[in-house]
Every structure is written in C-alpha cells, then in structure tokens.
Amino acid sequence: MAVRDAGDPRRPPRPGHGGELGHLDFLQVLCQDEITRRETVAFQRRLQRAKFEEQVTLEEFDVTASSKLPSAQIRDLGALRWPHASESVILFGPVGVGRTHIAQALGHLAVRQGAHVRFAKTSRVLAELTGGHADRTWEKRIRELVRPDVLILDDFAMRQLSATQADDLYELVSERQGRP
C-alpha cells in the first residue's frame, strides 16, 4: 500500500518521491520535518531573547584587518570550550578593533549550538539592577541575568562605578559563578 503526500488526490505528488511513500518512509519524513521546524523555532526564540544589537557571525569577522588581533585566540574562543568549562571571557583592547562584533559573534555561535545567551551593555544592566532596588524587584532582575548560559556584558569597565553598582556587579558575578 502507498500513501500520497498530503492525502489529497488532487495535490501533485511530492517531488523526488514519485508521489508514493511507504508508511514508514512517510512517518520518517513527517517526523524529520517536525524536528527541523521545532529546532528552527527554538533557534529563532533563543536568538530573539539574546537581544543582540546586530546579527553578526565569527565567520564574517576579518581577523586579518589588524595585525594586533590575536586570531588564534579568537578561533580558540570560537570552539566554545569556555562555556562548558564555566569559564568567563574578557575581551579588551583599544576602541574600534571589533570587541563588540567578536562578543556578539561568539554569542551567536553559542545560540546556534543551543545555548541561551543574553547580550547587554554593562551600563544598562547596572541601571536595570539599580531600578530593582527602587521598586523592590532586584532579586527577580538578578535571577533573570543569572539564568542564561552565556551573559555578554559589552563595554565593561568603560565608566567608573558607584558603590551600589560595584556591589550589584559583584553579586551578579558571584551568582553566575555559583550556578550549576
């Protein structure tokens, strides 16, 4: 017995199958389509939640643009061993070398591998936590920042921190360090 593609005899046969699939083949195609659809939706959701400023990848970053860029280290970071080892990465250097691009690209790569990522400017995160002190939602806000597998704080240490901001940053780093 053969099964037509969508069960509708008026519909043209599925290309590449001659219009006829066995029950097992039909079920296999149907399951694979559903798996692919779910993976795509999950990827898009993780990408949206990451809140990247730009959708950039490590593959499109020109490591040869500056002889001062440590291309071997960038490639090593791209292997994404550091999140699995619960390690932190700090990208530093002069303005204009591509720190933000690399950070977002590493985050994008982590999203592609199934990680939950959050990208934000450090000043905005600290302002968000300060607001949490004012409206008594600090605990909730810190939990939201601890939850992602990878937290990218862009423009870290670009401004002097107040005592409260320094305490908040310490708490954030401590909480993330202690997470499973």
Side-chain angles (χ1 to χ4, degrees):
M1 178 171 181
V3 176
R4 264 202 181 269
D5 187 25
D8 186 348
R10 296 169 294 181
R11 223 172 159 178
R14 186 180 176 119
H17 294 287
E20 310 241 348
L21 291 174
H23 292 297
L24 188 56
D25 291 335
F26 177 73
L27 185 59
Q28 197 171 17
V29 167
L30 191 65
C31 288
Q32 189 57 51
D33 285 349
E34 180 62 15
I35 289 168
T36 301
R37 185 193 68 77
R38 287 181 183 202
E39 287 173 350
T40 301
V41 167
F43 168 75
Q44 291 296 334
R45 189 177 303 122
R46 286 191 313 273
L47 202 56
Q48 185 178 17
R49 287 183 182 158
K51 299 180 181 180
F52 294 121
E53 292 176 342
E54 297 178 72
Q55 297 300 319
V56 294
T57 63
L58 208 51
E59 296 84 7
E60 63 192 27
F61 184 72
D62 184 12
V63 292
T64 62
S66 171
S67 60
K68 294 181 180 185
L69 283 174
S71 56
Q73 286 178 319
I74 293 169
R75 279 192 302 277
D76 188 48
L77 290 172
L80 292 184
R81 288 184 290 272
W82 50 273
H84 302 293
S86 298
E87 295 176 342
S88 299
V89 174
I90 298 176
L91 302 175
F92 64 93
V95 174
V97 296
R99 290 184 319 270
T100 299
H101 183 118
I102 293 169
Q104 289 184 106
L106 289 170
H108 192 277
L109 188 57
V111 166
R112 284 187 278 174
Q113 291 190 4
H116 295 274
V117 176
R118 169 87 191 271
F119 175 88
K121 299 282 186 195
T122 303
S123 59
R124 289 188 188 141
V125 167
L126 294 174
E128 188 176 317
L129 290 173
T130 298
H133 290 295
D135 66 6
R136 297 187 178 146
T137 60
W138 187 87
E139 289 287 333
K140 179 181 181 241
R141 293 178 189 213
I142 199 91
R143 276 194 312 270
E144 290 293 318
L145 293 165
V146 169
R147 184 174 297 137
D149 302 315
V150 176
L151 176 64
I152 301 169
L153 297 177
D154 193 33
D155 292 339
F156 184 82
M158 295 294 281
R159 297 182 180 139
Q160 189 169 355
L161 303 179
S162 70
T164 303
Q165 290 173 323
D167 286 344
D168 286 346
L169 189 57
Y170 174 79
E171 290 296 325
L172 176 58
V173 170
S174 295
E175 289 289 323
R176 286 195 55 80
Q177 194 65 29
R179 66 186 219 111

